[in-house]
Amino acid sequence: MYEILKKTILNPTVARMEIAAPLVAKKAEPGQFIILRVDEGGERIPLTVADFDREKGTVTIIYQIVGATTMALNQLEEGDCLHDFVGPLGTPSHTEGLKKVAVIGGGVGCAIAFPVAKKLHEQGTEVHSIVGFRNKDLVILEEEFSAVSDKMVMMTDDGSYGTKGLVTNALKELLDAGEQYDEVIAIGPLIMMKFVAKLTKEYGVKTIVSMNPIMIDGTGMCGGCRLSVGGQVKFACVDGPDFDGHEVDFDEAMERATMYKEFERHQYDEACNLFQKEVR
Amino acid sequence: MPNMSLTKNPMPVQEPDVRNHNFEEVALGYTKEQAVDEANRCLHCKHKPCVAGCPVAIDIPEFIAKIKEEDFEGAYQIISKSSSLPAVCGRVCPQETQCESKCVRGVKGEPVAIGRLERFVADYHMANCKAAPVKPESNGHKVAVIGAGPSGLTCAGDLAKAGYEVTVFEALHTAGGVLVYGIPQFRLPKEIVQREIDTLKEIGVKVETNMVIGKVLSIDELFEDGFEAIFIGSGAGLPRFMNIPGENLKGVYSANEFLTRVNLMKAYREGSATPIQHAKKVAVVGGGNVAMDAARCAKRLGAEEVSIVYRRSEAEMPARLEEVEHAKEEGIVFRVLNNPTEILGTEDGFVKGMRCVRMELGEPDASGRRRPVEIPDSEYVLDVDCVIMSIGTSPNPLIRNTTKGLDTNRHGCIITEDESGQTSREGVYAGGDAVTGAATVILAMGAGKHAAKAIDEYIQAKK
Ligand SMILES: Cc1cc2nc3c(=O)[nH]c(=O)nc-3n(C[C@H](O)[C@H](O)[C@H](O)COP(=O)(O)OP(=O)(O)OC[C@H]3O[C@@H](n4cnc5c(N)ncnc54)[C@H](O)[C@@H]3O)c2cc1C
Ligand SMILES: Cc1cc2nc3c(=O)[nH]c(=O)nc-3n(C[C@H](O)[C@H](O)[C@H](O)COP(=O)(O)OP(=O)(O)OC[C@H]3O[C@@H](n4cnc5c(N)ncnc54)[C@H](O)[C@@H]3O)c2cc1C
Ligand code: SF4
Ligand code: SF4
Ligand code: FES
Ligand SMILES: [Mg+2]
């Protein structure tokens, strides 16, 4: 059993938990993820290692409440335990040798992007962060990102905070202004990553995206997380989740993510009734 | 007076049209009377040909003799000298190619139903023998076992009985390996596997789930943690795909994914948290036990039509005879000598059909089986909304990629010296599907037993 040591609400649908998981904390690197089950009989869901403390033996996760399992997770409080918590899974993000990088986070994707930005900053890489949210209420990790960024751009879709527009607008501006990046790292909704990759391809800038297909085991055993990358089949849980954004077939990935939409909606409604709570 | 009936006592089963709507066990097991009657078919041959057909050499005529005397617990004691999972093997061994294939009664008529008798004895023991297992005194030596499938569990059990402090590290959240994530409830109730694991715990085996070795801890770290020897029983869990167009459409599963969702994650149960597609027309590609299990699960989830699509003929199918028979009874359609070439999708990315080509058998290939060759211009489209790829698995690369000096062959299987399971790394032993590629429960169990013996000798010699 894995105890929740700390829980912080970040915005109406996003929260952060610090979990006691010494063995995971010992090995975790930015870019890796864990798989958890909230309770016995629960579904297995992957969440990124948002932070870790090797000394304290803790791993931080940040989750957005989007459906039944994340809602069940959010019912737990400090002192409660998760039934299962396995990791670190996946391949760590490659950061060696990078001198200047643009890190782009969209929505809860910022939680995934942050540990990478932090590691880059700590190793002396110049980090330009572009973070985007739908509106001001949904902003998370602003301070954390500023602390590790040499330049930081805040975007909201509706202009209620920072600059109005999409992260791609901000990236284009920086590129047009002559910024030279060794790499762009883009993490967020598939549609965002698709358009960032499209843009950077025009500019010839290498782009890494973090893919989040539906997973079960996370060890390469089921093939459910497969993607087409450069015309080849890859298992995101072991070969990724980071991939070359110019090679990924985003349209296929977007299709595959909707596989269980109906079931998920039903489960979500049931969970809402169960917890008698209106989220969103 | 031997029973000279040419046929086995039939196994009582759930009616096909009832059972293909539920996940309860199909075969119900012999009654005492049936077991004794069947035991009386055994001629107690002096040269025991049947024993040679059993990979772990259970003394078959001896245990059957005890059944004749109605000393069922005595029969169990004889079996348990050679096998630690009789309730499992009695259910899932391919008896027709093993013990029963060598039985003299099979020369004219059917062989003695050795597997069914083994199952009867094991079930009898579980239901009637309440003696709690005794925890042996520790000899102070620590051994790690990777993977809680039949090979790992057997190795752990034998070592624990010899006094070792054994910890089993399992990647998934439940121990049991293929016995819990692959083979369905209706063929092997999970309670049976759980009981075996509980027994191991009672004799002192520690089972640590959620431990992906190679990620959480490496083999080298296990040695640093004080384990003196390590057994790798990590199975062959990496699914193969055909690499044909359309394989990434929604509704195409590997058998591993489909069965994991159904069995391990209990997606068949009302109210399960794990989703599964409830397809109407399903094609399962392949002809092994895995394919039969996937097909029968799909049927039970409510599919109207489920087909096995296999490129060779029925004679070449690697599945157990009983599984093929049961599948047919349950209404699974067998489309043999058919090979998929493409999966077709709807506009929104779901499967809507599978293009197949008809095959015929040509000259024998490397496997000794006649090679299937395409019949020109024989393409057609099979109307399906779900395709389950069940064309084989290979060992997961996680361990070999993170363990220096561990030799593997070109199929990714760990190379062992001989049946001891000794690998190219000192103190590291391996067995089961991780070594042989996908094989059988009994072979995996046997490998675990041999390795336990070798590990014991290795550690004793070090002292
Ligand atoms: C490697 C990886 C890292 C991730 N990191 C984070 C993170 O740090 N924070 C965060 O909020 N989310 C993260 N996700 C997404 C998260 O796993 C899903 O939001 C979660 O599984 C939804 O579960 P649910 O039951 O609440 O919602 P549901 O209503 O069941 O699903 C909502 C959507 O989430 C996706 N999803 C559903 N089940 C799974 C599954 N088993 N695996 C992956 N995606 C699924 C699907 O696209 C689905 O349409 C990550 C996903 C992956 C693959
Ligand atoms: C659907 C299906 C039906 C079958 N039907 C039959 C049948 O009827 N009769 C028969 O004899 N055989 C059958 N088989 C084959 C049989 O189940 C296997 O040969 C047998 O289970 C192999 O045992 P094992 O211990 O080597 O590996 P497995 O049973 O595969 O167990 C390996 C275990 O190791 C774990 N693991 C893997 N990697 C790691 C890691 N890095 N760290 C920690 N743990 C790890 C896995 O999660 C798994 O639990 C079937 C197989 C399948 C898939
Ligand atoms: S273990 Fe398998 S092969 Fe051996 S006697 Fe039992 S059923 Fe036959
Ligand atoms: S070969 Fe058949 S009849 Fe002879 S001892 Fe074995 S089970 Fe009995
Ligand atoms: S989640 Fe099963 S192979 Fe990746
Ligand atoms: Mg869900």
Side-chain angles (χ1 to χ4, degrees):
Chain A
M1 297 292 247
Y2 306 82
E3 193 184 339
I4 299 164
L5 301 175
K6 196 156 182 239
K7 177 178 173 183
T8 321
I9 312 289
L10 299 184
N11 79 27
T13 62
V14 178
R16 169 165 59 201
M17 281 180 179
E18 209 176 301
I19 314 288
L23 284 176
V24 185
K26 198 171 147 202
K27 281 281 177 69
E29 292 289 343
Q32 291 190 294
F33 63 95
I34 55 92
I35 284 188
L36 62 78
R37 283 203 313 164
V38 173
D39 47 32
E40 172 133 52
E43 118 184 274
R44 291 172 68 98
I45 65 158
L47 294 172
T48 303
V49 172
D51 207 350
F52 51 83
D53 187 325
R54 301 208 205 279
E55 270 84 69
K56 271 167 60 191
T58 60
V59 172
T60 301
I61 50 173
I62 296 178
Y63 58 90
Q64 180 165 31
I65 303 157
V66 292
T69 302
T70 43
M71 189 181 286
L73 175 64
N74 196 47
Q75 294 302 304
L76 301 183
E77 300 298 338
E78 290 173 7
D80 291 340
C81 286
L82 297 173
H83 201 280
D84 298 287
F85 194 84
V86 54
L89 301 169
T91 313
S93 300
H94 292 287
T95 52
E96 300 97 78
L98 298 176
K99 299 222 163 48
K100 188 169 170 182
V101 172
V103 177
I104 303 176
V108 75
C110 290
I112 306 176
F114 173 69
V116 185
K118 182 176 157 195
K119 180 167 181 192
L120 288 167
H121 175 73
E122 281 168 0
Q123 72 180 27
T125 305
E126 182 177 347
V127 177
H128 291 188
S129 297
I130 305 170
V131 293
F133 300 91
R134 267 186 290 137
N135 61 53
K136 182 169 190 256
D137 294 341
L138 300 179
V139 171
I140 56 169
L141 301 177
E142 185 183 4
E143 275 173 38
E144 286 86 342
F145 261 105
S146 321
V148 300
S149 307
D150 298 276
K151 182 180 276 184
M152 158 123 168
V153 186
M154 168 69 66
M155 305 293 291
T156 51
D157 293 7
D158 64 357
S160 53
Y161 195 57
T163 311
K164 182 177 160 114
L166 304 171
V167 291
T168 38
N169 303 136
L171 178 62
K172 187 167 189 311
E173 249 176 54
L174 289 170
L175 290 170
D176 286 340
E179 296 285 2
Q180 300 274 338
Y181 299 116
D182 296 334
E183 208 171 74
V184 169
I185 299 176
I187 307 176
L190 286 167
I191 189 78
M192 179 205 99
M193 296 194 283
K194 174 181 167 170
F195 281 103
V196 169
K198 195 163 168 255
L199 177 72
T200 55
K201 194 159 188 185
E202 289 165 22
Y203 286 78
V205 185
K206 183 174 176 194
T207 299
I208 298 296
V209 294
S210 176
M211 300 300 287
N212 53 3
I214 296 175
M215 294 186 177
I216 313 181
D217 57 298
T219 66
M221 183 267 270
C222 76
C225 63
R226 64 193 186 277
L227 306 163
S228 296
V229 182
Q232 280 192 317
V233 175
K234 297 282 179 193
F235 290 2
C237 68
V238 284
D239 302 321
D242 288 359
F243 292 101
D244 181 341
H246 298 154
E247 300 275 323
V248 170
D249 183 341
F250 285 104
D251 294 335
E252 181 187 272
M254 281 189 264
E255 275 298 356
R256 285 183 64 79
T258 62
M259 171 81 200
Y260 299 109
K261 227 155 118 190
E262 244 170 81
F263 175 92
E264 287 160 357
R265 194 173 309 136
H266 172 79
Q267 294 288 108
Y268 183 71
D269 292 343
E270 296 259 295
C272 284
N273 289 337
L274 183 67
F275 302 129
Q276 300 201 320
K277 237 184 176 174
E278 279 302 319
V279 187
R280 270 181 185 163
Chain B
M1 184 53 206
N3 169 356
M4 291 313 290
S5 163
L6 290 181
T7 52
K8 296 174 178 178
N9 272 272
M11 177 61 114
V13 290
Q14 276 196 67
E15 283 304 313
D17 282 336
V18 174
R19 70 181 192 236
N20 63 14
H21 297 290
N22 70 49
F23 277 82
E24 302 302 313
E25 193 168 15
V26 168
L28 303 171
Y30 278 167
T31 60
K32 271 186 201 177
E33 291 70 31
Q34 287 167 323
V36 173
D37 190 59
E38 183 64 27
N40 279 321
R41 291 185 65 228
C42 172
L43 302 177
H44 217 82
C45 312
K46 283 243 152 46
H47 59 303
K48 305 180 182 183
C50 47
V51 176
C54 171
V56 296
I58 291 177
D59 196 338
I60 294 163
E62 277 306 300
F63 96 77
I64 293 181
K66 292 285 183 198
I67 300 178
K68 289 183 190 171
E69 298 164 16
E70 301 200 19
D71 175 8
F72 306 126
E73 182 55 27
Y76 179 82
Q77 293 309 329
I78 290 169
I79 297 176
S80 66
K81 274 189 224 160
S82 319
S83 167
S84 43
L85 299 169
V88 176
C89 295
R91 284 173 168 81
V92 306
C93 258
Q95 289 97 5
E96 69 272 14
T97 60
Q98 299 184 347
C99 52
E100 294 181 18
S101 74
K102 300 277 187 340
C103 172
V104 296
R105 293 298 306 263
V107 177
K108 190 162 167 273
E110 289 182 347
V112 175
I114 302 170
R116 292 174 186 175
L117 290 174
E118 181 175 333
R119 165 186 166 158
F120 170 79
V121 168
D123 288 358
Y124 177 91
H125 170 81
M126 277 201 270
N128 296 291
C129 182
K130 301 276 183 262
V134 266
K135 187 177 164 184
E137 199 164 313
S138 164
N139 66 11
H141 295 281
K142 278 172 63 180
V143 179
V145 168
I146 302 170
S151 65
L153 293 176
T154 303
C155 185
D158 280 15
L159 286 167
K161 283 178 205 151
Y164 288 90
E165 289 178 17
V166 186
T167 308
V168 180
F169 295 96
E170 166 56 46
L172 293 171
H173 58 258
T174 309
V178 167
L179 308 184
V180 295
Y181 80 70
I183 304 181
Q185 179 76 9
F186 57 80
R187 206 146 74 75
L188 178 65
K190 301 307 149 227
E191 298 71 27
I192 291 174
V193 184
Q194 191 52 49
R195 205 147 10 177
E196 298 295 346
I197 291 159
D198 290 343
T199 309
L200 287 184
K201 288 183 181 166
E202 280 166 40
I203 62 170
V205 174
K206 284 197 210 108
V207 180
E208 302 239 14
T209 50
N210 297 323
M211 293 293 254
V212 186
I213 300 304
K215 284 284 175 191
V216 187
L217 291 169
S218 66
I219 299 258
D220 294 292
E221 285 168 314
L222 289 173
F223 279 121
E224 286 162 25
D225 284 349
F227 291 103
E228 293 167 62
I230 295 170
F231 175 76
I232 306 174
S234 53
L238 190 78
R240 240 174 258 150
F241 287 93
M242 291 188 77
N243 300 317
I244 55 174
E247 233 173 350
N248 291 347
L249 287 163
K250 290 177 283 185
V252 183
Y253 290 91
S254 75
N256 267 4
E257 177 182 358
F258 188 76
L259 291 169
T260 297
R261 287 181 180 275
V262 173
N263 299 321
L264 180 72
M265 306 307 296
K266 311 279 183 248
Y268 67 87
R269 287 192 191 152
E270 193 77 32
S272 167
T274 299
I276 185 92
Q277 184 189 7
H278 291 265
K280 290 209 168 56
K281 293 192 171 179
V282 180
V284 179
V285 181
N289 287 323
V290 187
M292 300 303 141
D293 283 344
R296 296 170 74 197
C297 283
K299 186 82 187 177
R300 282 162 172 76
L301 288 174
E304 289 155 17
E305 187 185 291
V306 182
S307 323
I308 292 280
V309 176
Y310 182 55
R311 66 196 179 114
R312 301 180 193 254
S313 80
E314 202 176 310
E316 286 83 26
M317 276 197 175
R320 291 177 74 215
L321 198 60
E322 190 178 273
E323 307 316 324
V324 175
E325 281 169 5
H326 281 166
K328 282 187 178 164
E329 287 167 11
E330 288 169 14
I332 309 293
V333 183
F334 280 62
R335 298 179 196 274
V336 297
L337 290 167
N338 280 288
N339 203 29
T341 54
E342 181 181 2
I343 302 164
L344 310 167
T346 61
E347 242 163 52
D348 50 358
F350 283 97
V351 172
K352 71 166 184 194
M354 185 167 80
R355 197 185 301 282
C356 297
V357 58
R358 293 185 207 282
M359 313 289 280
E360 60 190 357
L361 293 181
E363 295 299 308
D365 62 14
S367 74
R369 299 179 296 181
R370 291 175 62 191
R371 181 195 304 277
V373 282
E374 284 184 12
I375 301 175
D377 303 322
S378 65
E379 285 207 338
Y380 68 99
V381 173
L382 189 62
D383 177 21
V384 290
D385 55 356
C386 174
V387 175
I388 303 170
M389 288 295 172
S390 180
I391 53 169
T393 54
S394 51
N396 192 310
L398 256 183
I399 290 181
R400 67 168 186 265
N401 287 349
T402 52
T403 312
K404 277 209 189 77
L406 185 71
D407 291 348
T408 53
N409 67 18
R410 65 192 172 90
H411 302 293
C413 300
I414 299 172
I415 297 171
T416 55
E417 261 176 23
D418 45 38
E419 69 168 20
S420 75
Q422 165 76 60
T423 68
S424 54
R425 280 278 306 259
E426 191 193 331
V428 180
Y429 296 75
D433 285 6
V435 168
T436 56
T440 61
V441 172
I442 187 73
L443 286 172
M445 205 200 80
K449 272 191 125 36
H450 288 302
K453 190 163 164 278
I455 288 172
D456 180 36
E457 286 164 6
Y458 166 71
I459 291 179
Q460 296 307 323
K462 265 201 333 184
K463 282 199 287 196

